[in-house]
Amino acid sequence: MDRKVFQLGGYFPVSKEQEIRTQLLISDLNYQIPGGLNADQVAEDPTQARPGSVEQNSSIFQQSVFASFAHLYNFSEKINNNTVVYINTNDFENPFNLDYKKELGFGFGGRTKFTFDTDLGGKELRIIAGGEYQTSYTDAQNFGNRGGVADTIRFADKLTATQGFLFQQAEWQGTEKLLITLGLSENFSSFEIDRLVDAAGGDLGVQKRSFDPIVVPRLAFNYLLNPSSSLFTSISSGFSPPTIDEVRTNEGSLNLDLEAEKGLNTEIGYRMGKDRLNIEATAFYFQLKQTITTYTNEQGVVLFRNAGATDQKGIEASIDYALIQNNNAFLRDLKIGTAFTGHYFKFKDYQKRDNDYSGNDLTGVSPNTVVSRLDFRTAPGIYLNFTHQFTDEIPLNDANTVYQDSYNLVNLRFGWSKWLGKSWELEAFGGVDNLLNESYSLGNDLNPFGGRYYQPAPTRNWYGGIKVAFNY
C-alpha cells in the first residue's frame, strides 16, 4: 500500500456573529489485492496471492479531492445557523482477476441547520431543524483485463445518485433531572443508470429506481441520577437504501430489485463520569428488515442480496480510569481502560432456495470482542500505548458451517512528542503490530465461491515515522 494525503483546514472568526471554516483533503491511494484463499491454500502458504491476482495486477488506484466551506451565523443569543457546502471528485481504477474497472466521478452537496433556544413551561427548550442534499455523477466502465492492462470494453454506464433528508429535533429539559428528546427525519433517495455499452447484447438505455420518502422518528430520555451519572433510553427507526455500487455489479447485472433496509432500535444505558473514572454501558435490540448481505460468485465478484429479517441484540460497555493525572510530575498520565462488545445477531426469517437459515448467527459478526489499553505520558514527551484485542469466532457463511477462529491481537506504540514554541509540533514514533505473532484472517470474504473465505493478515510487523505539525 502507498498512500499520500494532503489536508488543509482553515478557521476564520469574521466577527462576534460569524465564523467561517474551510477544509481541503487531497488523497492519492493505491494498494494491491492478493485475493481470498481457501483453507488448504492458507495452510500451505498464507503469504501467497490467489492464483491470477499477480498476473492481472489486482489492485486499487484512487485519487480523490474533497473540499468544504462552512459558515456559522449567530442571529442572536438564541438563534444561529450552521451551513456547509461541499464538493468531491474521484478517479478510480480497479484491475481485477477477470476484469478492469474505471470510474470518474464528481459530486456536490450541502447541509444547513438552524438552532433555536427558548423555553416551554418555564423549562429550557432547544429546537433544531434543517436538511441535507447531495448528488453524484459517475462515468463507469468495465473492460477485460489483459495482463493488468484494460482491454476490450464490456459495459459502460452513466450513473446518477441523489439523496437527501429533512430533520427536526426538540430537546426539552422537563425537570432538573429529565431531558426529553424528540426527533423526526424525512428521507428520500433515487438513482439512475444509463447503460451506453453492453458487449453481451443486453438492453441499453436508462433505468431508474426511486425509494418512497419515509419518516424516521426518534424518542429519547436522559435522567440525571446525580451530578456525575445518568440513565438514558431511546427508541428510533431507521432507513438505509442500497447504494448504486450494490445495485450495479462488476459482472454487468443490475440488481434493481434490491430493497432498502428498514429497522427499529431500542436501547437503554447508564453513564458515569466522576473525577478519574468513566463508565458507560448500553443494551440494545435492533430489528432489521430486508437486511442486505453479501456473497461472492464463481468469478470472485462480490454481490448483494436481501436476507429477510434479522434480530440484533447487543451489549456495549466500557470503563476507563486514570491511575495518575498530574501535569507537574514526571509521569503525567497513566490510564487504563477496557471495552466489551457483545453482538448477538441472528437471522430471523431468511430462506434461500431450499435452505432455511432462520435462527443462524448473522454472517461476518463476532459475538464477543474485548479491547483493553494502557497509556502513559511523561513530562519530556515520551509516551507509550499498549492495546490488547480479543475477537471471538466469526461465522463466514450463512449456513454457519465455516468459522474464522477467535484470535488475540497485541499492539504497542511508543514515541516522543514535543511542542517547539507555540506553532510547531514534532513527533517521532514507532511500534509493533501483532506482537504475539498470531495467524488470523482479516476482512474475510463471506459466502464465497470455492471456499475462498480467508484474507490472511500480517503476522508480527513493525512501523515507524516522523510527524511535523504547524498550527497557525
Side-chain angles (χ1 to χ4, degrees), residues 71 89 113 123 137 149 167 182 193 196 206 220 222 234 267 320 336 361 408 414:
H71 178 252
T89 65
K113 179 182 73 171
K123 305 297 183 180
Y137 303 95
V149 178
F167 57 90
L182 174 63
I193 302 173
L196 306 176
V206 177
N222 189 90
S234 69
E267 70 175 34
D320 296 284
I336 58 173
D361 294 331
N408 290 274
F414 49 87

Side-chain angles (χ1 to χ4, degrees), residues 66-202:
F66 175 84
S68 67
F69 178 92
H71 178 252
L72 174 66
Y73 188 83
N74 295 303
F75 295 96
S76 68
E77 292 183 356
K78 294 186 175 183
I79 305 175
N80 68 65
N81 173 262
N82 194 344
T83 297
V84 59
V85 293
Y86 49 85
I87 62 172
N88 63 278
T89 65
N90 187 51
D91 187 355
F92 176 86
E93 290 193 23
N94 174 207
F96 188 59
N97 293 44
L98 299 173
D99 71 340
Y100 197 119
K101 181 179 181 179
K102 295 184 179 183
E103 290 185 352
L104 185 62
F106 169 77
F108 62 89
R111 175 185 176 95
T112 187
K113 179 182 73 171
F114 288 89
T115 302
F116 176 53
D117 291 315
T118 182
D119 63 76
L120 177 65
K123 305 297 183 180
E124 294 179 3
L125 174 66
R126 168 168 288 185
I127 298 175
I128 301 170
E132 183 166 356
Y133 171 87
Q134 56 184 261
T135 189
S136 64
Y137 303 95
T138 305
D139 286 328
Q141 302 170 315
N142 285 64
F143 303 83
N145 186 350
R146 185 183 295 273
V149 178
D151 194 17
T152 307
I153 192 167
R154 294 181 174 178
F155 56 96
D157 302 296
K158 284 188 176 296
L159 312 174
T160 303
T162 301
Q163 60 182 343
F165 59 90
L166 302 173
F167 57 90
Q168 308 86 39
Q169 181 167 298
E171 302 172 359
W172 184 51
Q173 192 72 51
T175 70
E176 291 184 358
K177 293 187 175 183
L178 180 63
L179 175 66
I180 303 172
T181 302
L182 174 63
L184 290 174
S185 67
E186 300 81 41
N187 301 260
F188 62 90
S189 66
S190 64
F191 53 79
E192 178 181 293
I193 302 173
D194 184 4
R195 177 135 297 181
L196 306 176
V197 177
D198 192 330

